Amino acid sequence: MGASAMNRMNPAGGPTTGFRHEVLLHSSREQLLAGVVPYVREALDRDETVLMVVSGDSADLLRAAIGPDAARLDWADSAGWYRRLGPMFEDFRSYLAEQSARGQPSRVVAEQGISAPSTTWLREYLSFESMTNIVYAPYRIPVLCLWDRNRVAPDIADRVTAAHPYLLEGNQTVVNARFLDPVDFLGRARHPELAAPQHVEFTVRLQDAGDLGAARLRLHEHAVRNGFPAERASELVIAANEITTNALEHGRHPVWLAVWRTGEYLVCECSDGGSGFADPTVGFRRPERPTGRGCGLWLARQLADLVQIRSRRSGSQIRLSFALPTVSGRSSG
Amino acid sequence: MGGTPQPVGPAGPSGRGSFAGHVLALLTPWQERVSLMSSWVREGLARGERVACVHHDGEGGDAGASLLDAVAPRVDGWPAARLRGQVMVVSVRQALSAEGAFDPDSLRTRAHNAIDRALAVGYHGMRVVTIGAPFLEAVPDDGAWLALERDFERMCRELPLSVLCQYHDGAGGLVRRAAAGLHRRIVESLIEITVEGAVVRVRGEVDISNYALLESAVGSACGNAETHVDLDLTELQFMDASGLRALTSGTADFRHRSGRVILRNPGPAVARVLRLLRVDVLPGVELRQAGSA
């Protein structure tokens, strides 16, 4: 598996060809510095632009270690990262596309910046991480991801490793034998079951497209009743409509919509008896035209705070989560 | 979609300033068909028109009941109107011809005669409500059906004639595809579309259940247009990706020939999707909000 994955990602062999997407899973400051400082120096020696999207703490550490040359790097606070993964992925892709178009050699050092991410959120984040191997590859801009091993559970650390074709060990970039190609990474067998809700607030059964209008109305009303401002409620309806439409068109009737609250989210789940998407990489990239495949799912990823997909032979579920407005009226996160 | 979305179709608030002309209704639910027909008849009575209800036995929802049996009680003054001849009930068989066969010339002549007679006795015009399916079945081919609908479209524009054609929603591809070019207004469960030359007005919601109507309407407008098509989205509450596909593909050839498509006044929910999918920056497409030039 590892060998064939390696071949798929890196046909010409060697870390300097293909998309140099590597991860440094560090468990100490020393390891962090031992990996990042030479990486940055290499870039500076080659007159590359370096974007450092790291936490404030890491920035302090790295600036001190790099010295005066740190001023030549572009620093951005990773706390500015969005909780909403779809737009973040797309905006970052857009940045890479711009840099690539300019022709200025660059590289990026990135550290996930959301504070206290839930395991659920991390898992979905890592789905995007894996998809960068496909979506960001054409831009050929090296990306080094920094993860603190002390801050993630072992199973998440394994997923982090599996999402990257290269590892930074010490100050050496090496091919990752445990890398999983995105299709494998995102594939059926690799996700835990979605936790069943404690209390479903309502369900809608859809037999055909004619049932969508009434479903939208109910969803909108429910969102507004849960404190969502009109515009956000509309976004919820748009996202839910798209995934439900997919199920009606490609899944098995009847299609079910279930809605409930958790502490943090209003959740809308669409399920049907079909086997779901054959290709798990669908919906991560903006389609070329509105006729593009995966358009509805892409829209859902842009609008929902979290999108979880489970496709099994016995049935499929797509769960959209929308952060509940806080008391002050802003959405949390 | 701010506030409570208003249902459209017969149940919705009417802004039907001109609930007249050649209208196509694609409705399936029994209640909606009854409701629309009742509104149509009431409108005719209010305008002092003679109303001809073309009915078809047994085509109704419940066993044996016809739509007219359900409509009559919903129209105030129906019995009196029937007695004095303002409301006429005609069977499809009579409408088609004595033998029930399709004869378009005869149909046109009888329509003209009916209008003349109505005007002669003091009515302001003639209004017809009919089920489309029997005509669809009676015509020898699609071309004949299209020609018939085109005739009635012209008559409704030139004469004091209004015709509501009701097709069961499952009437099929031909009706949906050709609909917009042949009817000034299309009424369906979720959407109402009016096409006047190169201007299209859309009211309601577009999704996979009805996007084909939008595609047909914009295609028709593109055919009527010289330099640009005006798509008024002021009252469009919702549009999904399939609606956007209909918009882009329905106008593709026109835009390719340097035609411009103006998307006027989309609400926040519609604008959001337009922008996310970058339809607003497609060649030939222009988004215009109220208050801008």
Side-chain angles (χ1 to χ4, degrees):
Chain A
M1 163 60 76
S4 65
M6 193 174 82
N7 290 337
R8 253 180 287 172
M9 282 303 301
N10 190 15
T16 54
T17 61
F19 176 39
R20 185 177 164 188
H21 181 208
E22 61 200 294
V23 63
L24 173 60
L25 254 170
H26 56 90
S27 22
S28 70
R29 292 179 162 200
E30 288 70 35
Q31 275 187 355
L32 175 64
L33 294 175
V36 180
V37 174
Y39 184 86
V40 166
R41 288 242 163 267
E42 180 185 69
L44 289 173
D45 290 345
R46 296 178 188 179
D47 262 324
E48 292 177 13
T49 304
V50 186
L51 175 64
M52 308 285 295
V53 189
V54 297
S55 69
D57 285 347
S58 298
D60 290 341
L61 206 58
L62 288 165
R63 278 185 201 269
I66 294 167
D69 281 338
R72 292 169 59 195
L73 309 174
D74 294 334
W75 297 88
D77 192 344
S78 66
W81 273 27
Y82 330 158
R83 193 168 280 272
R84 203 171 295 168
L85 295 163
M88 182 191 69
F89 189 69
E90 170 58 23
D91 286 357
F92 197 55
R93 184 206 62 78
S94 198
Y95 166 81
L96 292 176
E98 264 173 46
Q99 291 299 106
S100 174
R102 281 208 190 104
Q104 160 64 14
S106 345
R107 62 177 79 181
V108 178
V109 177
E111 191 176 28
Q112 187 282 112
I114 299 295
S115 63
S118 66
T119 303
T120 306
W121 188 89
L122 276 175
R123 286 196 157 271
E124 293 314 313
Y125 170 80
L126 289 169
S127 296
F128 280 91
E129 185 72 75
S130 172
M131 281 305 296
T132 67
N133 295 310
I134 297 177
V135 179
Y136 292 2
Y139 309 117
R140 299 196 164 280
I141 294 174
V143 176
L144 168 63
C145 299
L146 307 178
W147 285 80
D148 184 342
R149 202 183 272 280
N150 300 317
R151 290 216 176 129
V152 291
D155 62 325
I156 294 293
D158 287 345
R159 291 290 278 176
V160 169
T161 303
H164 294 84
Y166 301 103
L167 304 172
L168 188 54
E169 282 177 356
N171 62 355
Q172 293 297 310
T173 298
V174 300
V175 170
N176 177 11
R178 286 158 58 207
F179 170 65
L180 286 179
D181 195 80
V183 173
D184 288 325
F185 186 93
L186 296 168
R188 277 163 209 261
R190 309 244 177 229
H191 293 288
E193 294 291 334
L194 292 174
Q198 299 230 316
H199 166 64
V200 172
E201 287 173 11
F202 71 88
T203 57
V204 178
R205 182 178 183 275
L206 297 107
Q207 191 55 44
D208 58 42
D211 295 330
L212 283 166
R216 287 195 297 267
L217 190 57
R218 260 193 104 178
L219 283 172
H220 194 267
E221 283 171 350
H222 197 77
V224 168
R225 225 177 300 132
N226 274 279
F228 286 86
E231 210 169 292
R232 188 63 182 143
S234 292
E235 291 181 350
L236 185 153
V237 172
I238 292 168
N241 180 83
E242 291 298 337
I243 60 163
T244 310
T245 294
N246 279 345
L248 284 169
E249 285 192 304
H250 307 296
R252 190 179 300 167
H253 299 181
V255 167
W256 291 92
L257 268 180
V259 177
W260 65 88
R261 280 175 74 112
T262 65
E264 215 185 326
Y265 299 107
L266 186 63
V267 180
C268 180
E269 180 175 285
C270 179
S271 54
D272 74 281
S275 48
F277 290 97
D279 178 0
T281 68
V282 155
F284 284 93
R285 189 174 2 203
R286 172 191 267 119
E288 303 266 302
R289 301 176 307 273
T291 49
R293 200 173 65 106
C295 183
L297 187 52
W298 184 83
L299 271 176
R301 287 196 193 281
Q302 298 306 302
L303 297 171
D305 288 300
L306 215 55
V307 176
Q308 295 163 284
I309 302 180
R310 298 292 183 267
S311 299
R312 314 236 179 270
R313 245 176 297 276
S314 54
S316 67
Q317 303 157 274
I318 302 187
R319 187 175 284 191
L320 307 179
S321 299
F322 299 84
L324 288 165
T326 56
V327 172
S328 67
R330 286 178 303 110
S331 275
S332 54
Chain B
M1 261 173 86
T4 313
Q6 297 290 312
V8 287
S14 193
R16 291 201 229 281
S18 48
F19 195 23
H22 193 203
V23 177
L24 169 72
L26 291 165
L27 300 166
T28 299
W30 177 251
Q31 268 312 121
E32 286 183 16
R33 305 172 85 190
V34 168
S35 181
L36 183 66
M37 279 181 66
S38 309
S39 298
W40 186 257
V41 173
R42 280 197 294 270
E43 183 76 14
L45 294 179
R47 290 175 181 228
E49 295 166 343
R50 173 174 266 161
V51 183
C53 303
V54 182
H55 85 105
H56 184 205
D57 276 329
E59 76 84 47
D62 302 308
S66 79
L67 280 173
L68 281 185
D69 290 340
V71 166
R74 298 171 64 118
V75 178
D76 283 341
W78 173 279
R82 280 216 62 181
L83 277 173
R84 65 174 178 266
Q86 186 172 9
V87 169
M88 297 160 42
V89 175
V90 178
S91 79
V92 165
R93 200 167 301 279
Q94 287 173 279
L96 281 170
S97 85
E99 297 83 46
F102 178 65
D103 180 349
D105 291 328
S106 157
L107 197 52
R108 275 189 293 278
T109 308
R110 275 179 287 125
H112 277 280
N113 291 343
I115 297 167
D116 289 341
R117 276 198 304 274
L119 292 172
V121 295
Y123 292 113
H124 294 150
M126 189 80 207
R127 177 172 286 240
V128 179
V129 54
T130 181
I131 310 297
F135 293 92
L136 203 54
E137 281 158 34
V139 296
D141 54 54
D142 292 356
W145 178 80
L146 286 170
L148 181 67
E149 285 284 14
R150 232 172 255 132
D151 277 345
F152 274 92
E153 171 69 7
R154 189 173 47 245
M155 285 197 286
C156 288
R157 267 185 281 121
E158 293 169 0
L159 303 170
L161 174 68
S162 292
V163 179
L164 171 66
C165 307
Q166 278 229 59
Y167 289 89
H168 186 284
D169 192 50
L174 173 66
V175 175
R176 283 178 169 270
R177 279 196 313 277
L182 306 173
H183 299 81
R184 196 176 141 272
R185 173 178 271 147
I186 303 167
V187 176
E188 190 255 8
S189 282
L190 279 181
I191 199 175
E192 215 180 287
I193 308 178
T194 312
V195 181
E196 280 175 285
V199 179
V200 181
R201 249 171 241 111
V202 189
R203 190 165 163 262
E205 305 186 359
V206 179
D207 64 18
I208 50 161
S209 72
N210 60 19
Y211 70 88
L213 298 175
L214 180 63
E215 187 162 0
S216 170
V218 296
S220 179
C222 287
N224 298 335
E226 289 190 13
T227 54
H228 68 276
V229 164
D230 204 297
L231 190 48
D232 186 346
L233 303 178
T234 312
E235 293 186 281
L236 180 65
Q237 311 275 36
F238 178 89
M239 177 153 61
D240 73 349
S242 74
L244 283 176
R245 276 194 280 277
L247 252 184
T248 53
S249 59
T251 59
D253 288 342
F254 178 68
R255 288 184 291 111
H256 191 67
R257 298 193 303 268
S258 305
R260 277 166 44 233
V261 176
I262 299 166
L263 303 179
R264 202 177 284 281
N265 257 347
V270 174
R272 186 89 172 92
V273 184
L274 278 169
R275 292 201 171 98
L276 271 174
L277 291 177
R278 298 214 175 136
V279 171
D280 58 329
V281 295
L282 271 181
V285 174
E286 188 189 325
L287 209 70
R288 259 190 224 172
Q289 298 289 359
S292 58

